[in-house]
Amino acid sequence: MNAHLKPSNTEHTFDLVVNGKLVPGAMTLEVINPATGKLFATCARANQAQAEQAIAAAKAAFPEWSRKSIAERRALLEKIADALAARLDEFARLSTQESGKPLPLAVGEMKGAVASLRNYAKLDLPIETVKESDKGRIMRKRAPLGVVAAITAWNFPMTLLMNKVPPALLAGNTIVAKPAPTTPLTTLLFGELCKEFLPPGVLNVIVDQNDLGDFLTQHPDIAKVAFTGSTATGKKVMASCAASVKRVTLELGGNDPAIVMNDVDIKEVAPKILQGAIVNAGQVCLAVKRVYVHESQYDAMCDELARLAKQVIVGDGLEAGTQMGPLQNKMQYEKVQEYLADAHKNGKVIAGGNAIKRDGYFIEPTVVRDIPDSARLVREEQFGPIVPVLKYSDINDAVRRANDTTYGLGASVWGKDVERASEVAMQLEAGTVWVNKHLELPLEVPFGGAKQSGLGVEKGAEGLKEFTQSRIVNIGS
Ligand code: NAD
């Protein structure tokens, strides 16, 4: 253990969940609170043998779990939702401590998790009649796949888990879940909570230090990988899945443009755009990551964004009033400082621009203007609270520049003339495009990335189907 780090202000033992039991790890993992940069808990870390045990447990649990009626599985999801709702504050506090996000945002994440469980518990997978004629009937059954590996990123561990675990379970699959190593605790606690309701082996949770992902995705007993993370890792996952033609859902990185039309009320729109850019310190796959503003309003919009950014209250997420917390981990903190350096070199920084001199991984909310499209901050996913504001004169040119990226996760268009803004929205190459809002994700609406931002969708009935195999049964008369 690192000598300057003091362990644990939490007494909870965070064990792996394997085959319905809490299992100490072959190793331990230190969990840092990003608001202090110091150790606040340790948890179990699995080795490969324990990952193998988790997969074997899930495989053994599959036949019985998949034979249960959907009504039984729905009822269990409801029970888990009730249990999570009853411990919402505990989960939210833990989430703030491990992720750094402000407590109200963590509370929102946990409420969303409960809502997601309940929403999936309402869905059904009925056998459909695809065709009926005098030659017979063609039916479609949605069969479960087997063992699902649910691999998640560190920015919204519970939200991402809830796009995977409830639909996978409802469809009759069993699961090995693996959170990111810097935010393992809420996922472990959720696994522990579920153990009270689910048969052994149905949901297993293991933790690694970025060293078991490949083992899971290559494993022949994993039928599907539901992955959320960076595009770079997603490509590795896809390649790894190819060996056994595994099903795969990839929710990957984004570089969302926001196009501001020339008729907006700047005072009304600027706070929404800034919020869309710096929520969770910019560590949102769908955050606003580039803002295109018409030349007639460019100066005024830059000034307003800068004024607002300077007012944001940055601090420990557990402190009342904090609007923005730290970056989640040291690696990201260091990476974002590279984007700050790029901003200073290639653009004009008009708010923030620095790491904050205090313990923890804090960066000032930053607004940058007069930066070229070729700058790293514009071309890459910054995943931090730095907003580049770019000028356009012709809307077609703004659309072309917004689309000039390998990413295609989200985008937004802002304008008083909603018809005109919607026409522009239709031209943006992204999985989700909003008009006069950004980041709204209703539970029943499918969500997924275009281009290199992903493959497949999560959420809602369409997301549920991705955890099934369509089985056509063609019955002669
Ligand atoms: P990451 O790709 O580094 O890690 C994601 C997960 O993959 C972690 O659990 C990690 O341990 C695991 N992993 C690492 N190597 C692996 C391998 N070879 N095989 C399988 N799994 C492996 O991503 P991150 O830094 O944790 O998260 C940030 C990224 O996630 C950003 O790009 C962000 O945009 C993206 N993200 C996307 C969505 C979405 O829904 N599209 C949501 C949240 C975050």
Side-chain angles (χ1 to χ4, degrees), residues 152-155 178 210 227-230 233 251-253 285 381 447:
T152 48
W154 44 254
N155 59 341
K178 192 205 79 60
N210 279 329
F227 175 84
T228 301
S230 62
T233 310
E251 298 292 354
L252 308 178
C285 53
E381 183 187 35
F447 160 69

Side-chain angles (χ1 to χ4, degrees), residues 176-189:
V176 177
K178 192 205 79 60
T182 54
T183 53
L185 303 181
T186 41
T187 304
L188 286 171
L189 196 61

Side-chain angles (χ1 to χ4, degrees), residues 195 263 275 374:
K195 174 177 88 51
D263 63 351
Q275 174 62 14
S374 56

Side-chain angles (χ1 to χ4, degrees), residues 136-154:
R137 241 174 350 142
I138 302 179
M139 319 285 284
R140 187 212 308 265
K141 178 185 158 85
R142 295 261 173 202
L145 297 165
V147 181
V148 170
I151 302 177
T152 48
W154 44 254

Side-chain angles (χ1 to χ4, degrees), residues 366-397:
T366 298
V367 179
V368 186
R369 59 171 289 169
D370 302 322
I371 186 160
D373 285 8
S374 56
R376 278 188 67 194
L377 178 62
V378 181
R379 295 217 63 81
E380 299 176 13
E381 183 187 35
Q382 65 271 45
F383 225 54
I386 319 176
V387 203
V389 191
L390 303 130
K391 192 192 290 182
Y392 73 86
S393 47
D394 170 46
I395 189 66
N396 295 321
D397 190 45

Side-chain angles (χ1 to χ4, degrees), residues 150-156 160 163-164 178-182 208-217 225 227-234 236-237 240 250-255 283-286 289 329 331-332 335 381 383 407 409 447-449 453-454 458:
I151 302 177
T152 48
W154 44 254
N155 59 341
F156 285 92
L160 305 178
N163 290 340
K164 298 171 177 56
K178 192 205 79 60
T182 54
D208 71 341
Q209 198 153 34
N210 279 329
D211 55 346
L212 291 175
D214 191 45
F215 180 75
L216 287 176
T217 56
V225 178
F227 175 84
T228 301
S230 62
T231 296
T233 310
K236 290 187 199 161
V237 170
S240 179
L250 301 173
E251 298 292 354
L252 308 178
N255 191 5
Q283 303 163 115
V284 183
C285 53
L286 284 159
K289 292 179 182 137
N329 58 70
M331 213 170 99
Q332 190 61 25
K335 192 171 152 201
E381 183 187 35
F383 225 54
Y407 289 112
L409 196 55
F447 160 69
S453 283
E458 291 188 329

